[in-house]
Amino acid sequence: MRIAIHAVGRLKAGPERELTDRYLDRAAKSGRAIGITAVASREIAESRAARAEARKDEEAAALLADLPDGAVTIALDEGGETIDSARFAALVGSARDRSVPALVLLIGGADGHGPALLARASLKVAFGRLTFPHQIVRILAAEQVYRAITILSGHPYHRS
């Protein structure tokens, strides 16, 4: 199974990109032993539409068009369910065990996700009730992917 983070917007060179890349690299290396064949990130261009609803719709369409066939999708959304790392790891493990070809975490633009994407998402997850910049959400998503892989492999990184 492949895991990907698809996000609206571009991360500039700097500490946010470095930290995101570090966690994605760790996840990719650790994941091979447990059947995760790739861990990657993809950036989608921000919409230039004047209205927020139009921006959300355009960005949702771009994110949806970029999904691999048969992917399980997790929309990171402020209105989503808050789950713990063990449950997230169980979701990753379950998808892997069902031979799902890909699991994709979706990060919307500054206005959030469009309704078409939220309707299509297999699950909607919130990283708590706080609002975070998209750069930080990308780091958190990459770290949680790495943490899930360490939980599934029995590595001591996660201490509950």
Side-chain angles (χ1 to χ4, degrees), residues 83-93 144 147-148 151-152 158 160:
I83 61 174
D84 63 17
S85 296
R87 172 128 184 262
F88 181 69
L91 292 167
V92 171
Q144 285 302 299
R147 183 176 296 274
I151 290 169
L152 293 170
H158 177 73
S160 55

Side-chain angles (χ1 to χ4, degrees), residues 10-94:
R10 306 253 182 250
L11 272 183
K12 296 176 185 166
E16 295 91 354
R17 177 163 298 281
E18 290 171 16
L19 193 52
T20 299
D21 289 347
R22 182 183 313 159
Y23 282 120
L24 292 175
D25 183 58
R26 286 180 183 177
K29 289 175 181 171
S30 301
R32 291 183 200 122
I34 62 164
I36 307 297
T37 59
V39 179
S41 177
R42 182 166 292 175
E43 297 178 332
I44 306 297
E46 294 178 64
S47 168
R48 301 257 185 230
R51 294 180 313 104
E53 290 305 313
R55 283 192 300 274
K56 290 190 325 186
D57 290 344
E58 287 178 12
E59 292 166 353
L63 284 166
L64 290 170
D66 201 37
L67 290 175
D69 290 337
V72 167
T73 56
I74 299 175
L76 299 180
D77 183 75
E78 66 184 358
E81 178 183 357
T82 56
I83 61 174
D84 63 17
S85 296
R87 172 128 184 262
F88 181 69
L91 292 167
V92 171
S94 173

